[in-house]
Amino acid sequence: MSEASELTVVKALLAQLGTSPQKALGQNFLINESVIAKIVEYFEIKNKKVIEIGPGLGALTRKISLQTPFTTLIELDKKIISFWQEKGYEVLGQDALKVNWKGFLPDQNILISNLPYQISAPLVIELSVQKTPIDKMVLMFQKEVAQRIQSLPNRKSYGIISVVAQNVWTLKKVADLSARDFYPSPKVESRVLAFEAKSDSAWVSKKFLTFVKHCFQNRRKLLLNKLVTYAKSKGMSKDQVLLILASLKIPANARAENLEPQAYKSLFLELNKA
Ligand code: SAM
């Protein structure tokens, strides 16, 4: 199918459902056929369990279904929910940010989504710090959010989401997209990232997120002050913090944005040893 015909399908389905793209639900439908193939084919999904957030009019869903019958859809738009249910799909009609991911246990699942932009950053954080049965993901982001997720230290883009996501996932860029690849065209550029869970990430939890958030308050001030207040809540002294920093070869005058994601892991584990 050419891009023009994917656009034709989208327009025909919108007319059939008697609806139009809902901005509040981030409905920018994917119409670039080669990107659709890249997303669906990135991981081997043949007969595997796939979860798709926001199937919309099915640009990805139809391709996924050619590979596996084990697909669960998560969608908020009522007309779209009925459309897929009538075709026999299992659809969770709820906000992807409120899903109980443990309900999908014990299987390994692959998450695929052209995410509505407004939920993408909080969703990646949730899926990183919760124990979920998802071990692979291919997700579409606003390019700037994808850059924050992959950012190296010492950049403006480096922050909480970079530290948390890079401790949990091995990340790869899959594709860059322009506004023309969607209908209607968004005002921003987009990027698709692939995530593969690291085998040694079982220690990551909401407590780690709380720690990283604490460290990034006043990101330009000395990290030491933040570590000392955190350590105090654990009954540890400033001297103990200085010893930990020295043992990890982290300079006492470092700022939050200077530390590698791995250094946050080491600090967190040391400060929570007792
Ligand atoms: N997968 C389709 C595609 O690629 O063309 C549609 C993607 S569109 C960017 C986002 C989809 O997510 C829409 O179908 C929208 O209704 C749905 N959606 C928006 N907010 C949601 C939420 N909080 N939870 C689940 N689905 C949501």
Side-chain angles (χ1 to χ4, degrees), residues 52-108:
E52 187 191 359
I53 295 174
L57 303 168
L60 299 168
T61 324
R62 284 188 294 276
K63 288 274 189 303
I64 294 168
S65 298
L66 296 175
Q67 301 274 335
T68 177
F70 309 115
T71 309
T72 304
L73 308 177
I74 301 170
E75 177 59 66
L76 263 188
D77 184 310
K78 291 206 165 55
K79 285 187 177 172
I80 293 178
I81 293 171
S82 308
F83 174 79
W84 290 106
Q85 279 174 337
E86 281 160 20
K87 289 184 182 297
Y89 282 80
E90 185 187 345
V91 188
L92 286 185
Q94 71 179 109
D95 184 341
L97 286 177
K98 298 195 177 132
V99 166
N100 172 17
W101 297 104
K102 292 196 177 72
F104 290 92
L105 285 167
D107 303 288
Q108 288 173 321

Side-chain angles (χ1 to χ4, degrees), residues 6 10 22-31 36 39 52-62 73-78 80 84 92-99 112-119 123 140 181-183:
E6 188 61 40
V10 167
Q22 308 293 306
K23 206 171 176 204
L25 290 175
Q27 291 183 350
N28 299 99
F29 300 107
L30 194 49
I31 54 169
I36 293 170
I39 294 173
E52 187 191 359
I53 295 174
L57 303 168
L60 299 168
T61 324
R62 284 188 294 276
L73 308 177
I74 301 170
E75 177 59 66
L76 263 188
D77 184 310
K78 291 206 165 55
I80 293 178
W84 290 106
L92 286 185
Q94 71 179 109
D95 184 341
L97 286 177
K98 298 195 177 132
V99 166
I112 294 180
S113 182
N114 169 12
L115 287 171
Y117 291 134
Q118 57 273 35
I119 69 165
L123 186 84
M140 173 91 67
D181 296 320
F182 301 88
Y183 174 79

